[in-house]
Amino acid sequence: MSARYIHAMVRAMIGTGQALAETGVESAEGALDKSPLYLRIREVLAEAIASGRLPKGALLLEGPVATLFASTRTPVRQAFALLEAAGQIRRFDGRGFLVGQGRGGPKRAVLTAEMLGLDEEAPALRKAPAWEAIYESLEREMVHLSVFGRHRINEVELARARGVGRQVARDALTRLEALGITEKDERMRWTLVPLDEQRMRDLHDIRVALEPLALSQAAPFIPPAERGAMTQRLEEALAVYPDLSVEAMDGLETDLHITCLGYCPNRELLIALRRARFMLNVSKHIIGVSHRMPADEPFIAEHLAVFRALDVDDRARAAETLRHHITVSLPKVIGRVAELRAAHRPDMPAYATPVAR
């Protein structure tokens, strides 16, 4: 088994939120048989480009491509990064990517499954687990609610509220459990873990201790072209901030804290980090959604400093820069959560009941 394949398998195990689910967290045997979704999307797009079904100049946008694959945008974004690094697609002055190289403008044709050859592919490539349809909005609702204390979650009521079967609701709660958002009490009832300041500090301590170590070990295995594409996205984002979507901000966080660290060959280290990455979800669901976008960009320049150190193979400086970035981020997140708690009161969903402590 090649080292590259092993690293891809490890990356499949460490996503946050949707990224965790999209990379195929199934049984151990299933993980060995199935590559991450973003790699399969990359392969399908690359083949469609090579065959000419996707002509030169065709416009590729995350949303339409994600719809065709019945996925969220995260694996599509990762697939685009690999295709761009390989020179198969390119950026231009507009939104999205164009197929091929050159200076021509976009060909705005409607993207179809037939153009990607998906009508000939195994159905499993595009078949998404049923829980994915409710996951993103449920995660956001749960994160917001966790700011206001512990709640008991009724699985049956959740299924009824979301119009899905009980198994679908249970699967979504299980994914949230992997991130430490939900847990089961001593009577095996679902509860929402409260997001208080002490918990944020505890999770932060784990990240400060382990993420720099993971980055040092991952650094030799991060493909230079992929790292360069990440740096370019940061530079472009810094130039237009605050005119950025929540999805774009989340993508930048994913590049460093998920994708880059995912190349770390120490699987146990990555597993230890998984729950601590809940802090990234807190920022994602607060910044620009329930909280205004900060006047000063919150992390882009700090991420760039990490990549600059990686560019010159200074792993010690990269690790220390990452440690500083995580350290200074804690007061920002605590402050945003405190403002949310003071300024908002959540609409209590039918499936949640506050637990008196």
Side-chain angles (χ1 to χ4, degrees), residues 54-168:
L54 275 178
K56 184 176 180 179
L59 176 63
L60 297 178
L61 297 170
E62 288 180 7
V65 173
T67 297
L68 288 175
F69 285 100
S71 77
T72 58
R73 297 189 182 199
T74 300
V76 174
R77 185 182 305 124
Q78 292 173 305
F80 282 178
L82 296 178
L83 291 168
E84 182 187 17
Q88 293 172 289
I89 63 176
R90 63 182 172 88
R91 296 175 184 269
F92 71 113
D93 290 339
R95 189 165 59 95
F97 292 84
L98 300 184
V99 172
Q101 299 299 314
R103 300 183 176 225
K107 294 181 180 178
R108 298 183 181 275
V110 176
L111 196 64
T112 65
E114 289 72 23
M115 292 172 70
L116 301 184
L118 290 178
D119 54 325
E120 302 168 1
E121 293 289 326
L125 181 67
R126 290 192 293 146
K127 185 179 179 181
W131 58 265
E132 285 192 4
I134 68 170
Y135 183 85
E136 188 69 19
S137 62
L138 180 62
E139 182 187 274
R140 180 179 299 112
E141 190 168 68
M142 291 285 196
V143 169
H144 283 194
L145 197 58
S146 70
V147 171
F148 300 94
R150 184 176 295 274
H151 293 71
R152 185 159 294 124
I153 305 300
N154 186 304
E155 193 177 276
V156 174
E157 290 299 327
L158 172 60
R160 182 178 293 116
R162 294 303 177 112
V164 298
R166 185 170 180 177
Q167 184 61 52
V168 174

Side-chain angles (χ1 to χ4, degrees), residues 241 249 287 293-294 296-302 325 332 336:
Y241 187 87
M249 297 283 281
I287 292 181
M293 197 74 81
D296 298 323
E297 64 85 10
F299 63 81
I300 300 173
E302 295 167 8
H325 160 61
K332 300 176 188 177
R336 292 176 196 130

Side-chain angles (χ1 to χ4, degrees), residues 11-324:
R11 293 171 69 181
M13 301 180 65
I14 64 162
T16 62
Q18 277 301 110
L20 177 66
E22 288 151 358
T23 49
V25 178
E26 303 168 324
S27 66
E29 292 180 358
L32 291 173
D33 295 335
K34 190 175 181 182
S35 62
L37 180 56
Y38 74 93
L39 291 180
R40 289 179 282 138
I41 293 175
R42 188 273 305 270
E43 290 166 4
V44 170
L45 292 174
E47 196 280 327
I49 292 171
S51 68
R53 291 196 304 271
L54 275 178
K56 184 176 180 179
L59 176 63
L60 297 178
L61 297 170
E62 288 180 7
V65 173
T67 297
L68 288 175
F69 285 100
S71 77
T72 58
R73 297 189 182 199
T74 300
V76 174
R77 185 182 305 124
Q78 292 173 305
F80 282 178
L82 296 178
L83 291 168
E84 182 187 17
Q88 293 172 289
I89 63 176
R90 63 182 172 88
R91 296 175 184 269
F92 71 113
D93 290 339
R95 189 165 59 95
F97 292 84
L98 300 184
V99 172
Q101 299 299 314
R103 300 183 176 225
K107 294 181 180 178
R108 298 183 181 275
V110 176
L111 196 64
T112 65
E114 289 72 23
M115 292 172 70
L116 301 184
L118 290 178
D119 54 325
E120 302 168 1
E121 293 289 326
L125 181 67
R126 290 192 293 146
K127 185 179 179 181
W131 58 265
E132 285 192 4
I134 68 170
Y135 183 85
E136 188 69 19
S137 62
L138 180 62
E139 182 187 274
R140 180 179 299 112
E141 190 168 68
M142 291 285 196
V143 169
H144 283 194
L145 197 58
S146 70
V147 171
F148 300 94
R150 184 176 295 274
H151 293 71
R152 185 159 294 124
I153 305 300
N154 186 304
E155 193 177 276
V156 174
E157 290 299 327
L158 172 60
R160 182 178 293 116
R162 294 303 177 112
V164 298
R166 185 170 180 177
Q167 184 61 52
V168 174
R170 181 180 301 134
D171 289 344
L173 290 169
T174 300
R175 266 57 185 188
L176 291 168
E177 184 182 25
L179 292 174
I181 298 175
T182 61
E183 64 183 9
K184 289 186 175 180
D185 64 16
E186 65 281 357
R187 295 172 60 185
M188 299 304 292
R189 297 175 298 184
W190 287 109
T191 61
L192 178 63
V193 182
L195 183 64
D196 54 28
E197 183 171 331
Q198 186 57 53
R199 186 177 185 220
M200 287 188 279
R201 292 187 181 280
D202 291 344
L203 293 172
H204 167 267
D205 288 345
I206 296 172
R207 294 186 63 205
V208 168
L210 298 185
E211 284 200 28
L213 176 60
L215 181 63
S216 295
Q217 296 185 14
F221 303 106
I222 304 172
E226 188 173 3
R227 192 179 67 230
M230 294 175 183
T231 301
Q232 183 177 350
R233 284 195 287 275
L234 286 166
E235 291 171 341
E236 293 172 351
L238 190 60
V240 301
Y241 187 87
D243 188 20
L244 286 173
S245 67
V246 174
E247 291 77 15
M249 297 283 281
D250 184 43
L252 297 176
E253 292 273 43
T254 297
D255 279 348
L256 176 58
H257 297 289
I258 305 300
T259 305
C260 282
L261 298 190
Y263 281 103
C264 173
N266 186 334
R267 177 176 176 271
E268 297 300 327
L269 176 57
L270 297 177
I271 291 173
L273 267 172
R274 185 184 295 162
R275 283 172 67 97
R277 289 203 175 92
F278 172 55
M279 293 294 285
L280 297 179
N281 295 61
V282 173
S283 294
K284 176 178 73 172
H285 292 311
I286 292 179
I287 292 181
V289 179
S290 56
H291 194 87
R292 66 185 182 279
M293 197 74 81
D296 298 323
E297 64 85 10
F299 63 81
I300 300 173
E302 295 167 8
H303 279 210
L304 269 173
V306 174
F307 280 99
R308 299 296 187 219
L310 291 174
D311 286 342
V312 296
D313 198 27
D314 190 340
R315 299 178 203 171
R317 179 158 63 92
E320 187 54 40
T321 303
L322 177 59
R323 181 177 288 105
H324 173 75

